[in-house]
Amino acid sequence: MKKEQTHHVFTKEELASLDVEYINIIAQRKLEYQVARLFYTDTTLLSIWTMLNRVPRTTIKTYGFNTKRYPTEFEYNPYFVCMVSDEMLRYVIISQGLKYTLRHATARQLSDKSRHSIASNIAINSLLIGNKDSDVSTAVNYAMSKTELDTPSKYKYEEKLSLEDYYMLLEQEDLNNGGKGGKGQKASNANDNGGNPFESQSDAE
């Protein structure tokens, strides 16, 4: 593999002085570098990412799939991409590529979106944590050191179940709580409040 490139992690103050179009260019180059790395580390995930249009959107907080478009779009907030480290972005590329491979991006009929999102995160992280591939393990360990990921241990669930299994476990907990909202109701707000996702922070991790 070629020598690694290291991309600058911008602060909100730095981004505030830049033109939005320039921010889009910086974010695109940073994201595409991580996708291109897959040529050396995981050609299966690379083939998945070649099927996805990658589109900057300041109307979402971080990133997500838009399956209403064909081909499917991976939408990302350029501010988010500019403000996270290469290691965190690598985790995003690996985990989201695996989600799309396993068709988690397609919400099931009658599926609660919040619960579906958490169940998907738990299932994907269950597969990634402890992975012997050095690139995967480095990215996952870094992500775990910076944020609390949705994992089986966090929810005290069995390891390596399917999305559907975790969904039913979360649903059962919600029912046991009388429908007042349990673990499955604690959804990520990744697609809310567009613009700069770290506007209240001095920098990103």
Side-chain angles (χ1 to χ4, degrees), residues 43-157:
T43 53
T44 300
L45 282 184
L46 176 63
S47 67
I48 293 299
W49 279 102
T50 58
M51 296 189 294
L52 298 166
N53 284 340
R54 297 176 283 283
V55 183
R57 292 263 194 268
T58 56
T59 53
I60 63 174
K61 187 174 183 181
T62 52
Y63 52 85
F65 292 103
N66 184 350
T67 57
K68 294 181 180 179
R69 299 281 188 143
Y70 184 81
T72 297
E73 292 183 348
F74 177 76
E75 300 178 337
Y76 62 91
N77 188 307
Y79 286 87
F80 168 80
V81 173
C82 288
M83 296 177 73
V84 296
S85 65
D86 289 329
E87 293 83 359
M88 185 63 78
L89 192 56
R90 193 167 304 149
Y91 165 76
V92 171
I93 292 297
I94 293 171
S95 61
Q96 297 305 301
L98 187 54
K99 278 192 178 190
Y100 193 77
T101 301
L102 298 177
R103 302 180 70 182
H104 286 197
T106 306
R108 274 57 169 180
Q109 268 192 325
L110 303 179
S111 172
D112 178 273
K113 290 182 179 180
S114 299
R115 193 179 295 124
H116 181 279
S117 176
I118 295 176
S120 174
N121 290 341
I122 298 172
I124 293 301
N125 288 324
S126 179
L127 295 174
L128 294 179
I129 294 172
N131 191 294
K132 294 182 179 180
D133 181 273
S134 60
D135 207 55
V136 174
S137 61
T138 299
V140 174
N141 289 339
Y142 180 86
M144 291 182 68
S145 73
K146 295 297 182 181
T147 187
E148 185 180 21
L149 301 180
D150 289 325
T151 63
S153 61
K154 175 182 176 180
Y155 292 92
K156 296 181 174 57
Y157 293 156

